[in-house]
Amino acid sequence: VIGSGTYLDSGRLRNTLSDITGVSPTSIHAYMLGEHGDNQFTGWSSARIGGLPLLDHPKLRGLDLDSINQKIARKAYEIIEAKGSTYYGIGMCAAIIAEALLNNTSQVFPLTHYVEGLGCYMSWPAAIGSGGVGQSFDVKLDSAETTKLDIAVNAIKEACAKYT
């Protein structure tokens, strides 16, 4: 079982960071993680650009990272207000995910899948192919990000407990 998770918002994050740094979004390796929506967060400490820590980029020094995170998390609401829905963006993501599954590409996406170490379904980087999730990757987080991850895990487990 997989879901689109934070794939769309991770793309929005990379586009925002591209606008700031002047580097192509495809060369920025950064993810929105956790529970899609209120408990998603950016894995800043694991993000890379050109193989180097993203936060070492001179154009990111001094920026309010929490405001960038909130801007990404709220982008869907802006789109709904302007266009009435967000189905084009998620439709494109679904098509790309389907292509990766059908063509067995082993491409990595931040998708909702069962993360053994967390004991729940979570949006987390995973390589997918014709057999579904082939690999789930252990993302190194700092202590503040780990706290945000714990909040997301607990929110998902509490929601699931209501139905079991």
Side-chain angles (χ1 to χ4, degrees):
V1 174
I2 63 170
S4 62
T6 57
Y7 175 40
L8 179 56
D9 283 342
S10 292
R12 291 175 177 149
L13 171 66
R14 287 189 299 278
N15 286 334
T16 298
L17 294 171
S18 174
D19 291 343
I20 295 168
T21 63
V23 174
S24 170
T26 60
S27 297
I28 298 172
H29 302 281
Y31 298 111
M32 298 297 288
L33 301 167
E35 174 197 19
H36 178 255
D38 293 338
N39 290 314
Q40 69 185 25
F41 64 95
T42 305
W44 294 112
S45 64
S46 65
R48 299 285 180 264
I49 186 171
L52 300 174
L54 178 72
L55 296 180
D56 287 350
H57 193 283
K59 291 184 178 176
L60 291 174
R61 290 191 189 122
L63 286 179
D64 183 354
L65 300 178
D66 285 333
S67 71
I68 293 172
N69 190 64
Q70 288 303 313
K71 177 183 173 185
I72 302 304
R74 297 288 169 208
K75 186 69 175 175
Y77 298 110
E78 292 175 26
I79 294 169
I80 290 169
E81 187 174 308
K83 296 182 179 180
S85 69
T86 63
Y87 48 77
Y88 292 112
I90 196 61
M92 181 188 69
C93 290
I96 293 168
I97 293 167
E99 181 179 45
L101 291 166
L102 292 169
N103 294 322
N104 198 29
T105 65
S106 296
Q107 190 170 349
V108 176
F109 300 97
L111 300 176
T112 300
H113 64 284
Y114 190 78
V115 181
E116 192 72 37
L118 301 175
C120 68
Y121 283 83
M122 180 69 53
S123 189
W124 207 248
I128 61 169
S130 59
V133 172
Q135 298 179 60
S136 182
F137 295 92
D138 184 26
V139 179
K140 302 299 181 203
L141 302 173
D142 66 20
S143 61
E145 294 162 351
T146 299
T147 298
K148 291 175 183 177
L149 175 62
D150 291 341
I151 290 168
V153 167
N154 289 332
I156 288 172
K157 287 181 177 180
E158 286 174 14
C160 289
K162 292 178 185 177
Y163 302 102
T164 57

